[in-house]
Amino acid sequence: MKLLWAPWRIQYIAGEREKGCFLCRIRREKKKDVENLVLWRGKTHFVVMNLYPYNNGHLMVASNRHVALLDSLSDEELLELMQLTVKCVQVLKKALRAQGVNAGFNLGLSAGAGLEDHLHFHIVPRWQGDTNFMPVLTDTKVISQQLQQTYEALKKAW
């Protein structure tokens, strides 16, 4: 039997859950953008890498306001959300040569939201053949690059 070593996952699996909203904390910690993997701060939203990604380069565009519903956003906020989504796709294609992208919201617990009360939009880069036997047979996903290396490549491309 071969072992897949992924020690960084234990923090997510067994670590204590952060009290309060981690996106609000990241929004407040402007001097810790590198540590928090923040790529960009706009007027109404910010772009942050997912600390526990579905795929290498998994990004989130998060509202600066702690709101849960799309209809809570103003027209200005909705426009910036979509503009930042377009920019994220461009950066993922440039920096990581993404061949495709899954993008969307998980609105509510029944839709898979891990954080249901702070609106955020997922942007997950995809490559031909990136879905293989690992997730199907072993419920394991292989992330091929360290988060900090991915952050540096995306920040440079931004």
Side-chain angles (χ1 to χ4, degrees):
M1 175 187 295
K2 294 186 180 191
L3 298 176
L4 177 63
W5 183 251
W8 60 89
R9 293 287 298 159
I10 196 65
Q11 177 68 26
Y12 179 73
I13 296 165
E16 288 185 30
R17 297 292 181 232
E18 183 172 337
K19 295 203 185 333
C21 177
F22 74 91
L23 290 174
C24 286
R25 175 187 52 77
I26 289 171
R27 185 198 72 239
R28 287 189 306 267
E29 295 179 341
K30 293 181 178 159
K31 293 184 180 184
K32 293 185 177 182
D33 280 357
V34 173
E35 180 184 331
N36 288 326
L37 305 173
V38 174
L39 290 170
W40 182 259
R41 289 182 181 272
K43 185 176 179 183
T44 65
H45 288 78
F46 61 97
V47 177
V48 62
M49 289 177 57
N50 190 324
L51 188 56
Y52 305 104
Y54 297 120
N55 235 350
N56 192 46
H58 178 168
L59 303 177
M60 296 182 294
V61 179
S63 174
N64 283 342
R65 293 192 305 124
H66 188 87
V67 296
L69 303 173
L70 277 171
D71 56 7
S72 297
L73 297 180
S74 68
D75 288 345
E76 177 185 28
E77 290 170 313
L78 288 166
L79 177 61
E80 186 176 77
L81 171 65
M82 287 297 104
Q83 289 171 329
L84 286 174
T85 299
V86 169
K87 179 68 173 180
C88 288
V89 171
Q90 292 169 340
V91 166
L92 290 169
K93 287 182 176 184
K94 180 179 179 181
L96 302 181
R97 296 189 196 117
Q99 296 172 322
V101 173
N102 291 123
F105 295 101
N106 296 326
L107 301 173
L109 285 177
S110 62
L115 176 63
E116 69 173 322
D117 57 345
H118 192 133
L119 191 67
H120 57 286
F121 191 81
H122 292 270
I123 304 157
V124 182
R126 301 300 304 270
W127 297 268
Q128 193 65 36
D130 69 359
T131 301
N132 57 34
F133 70 93
M134 291 294 285
V136 175
L137 298 179
T138 65
D139 197 29
T140 302
K141 183 76 175 170
V142 177
I143 305 296
S144 59
Q145 187 178 40
Q146 289 185 353
L147 285 172
Q148 200 58 41
Q149 291 173 324
T150 304
Y151 176 83
E152 290 167 12
L154 293 173
K155 189 70 173 171
K156 182 179 177 183
W158 196 275

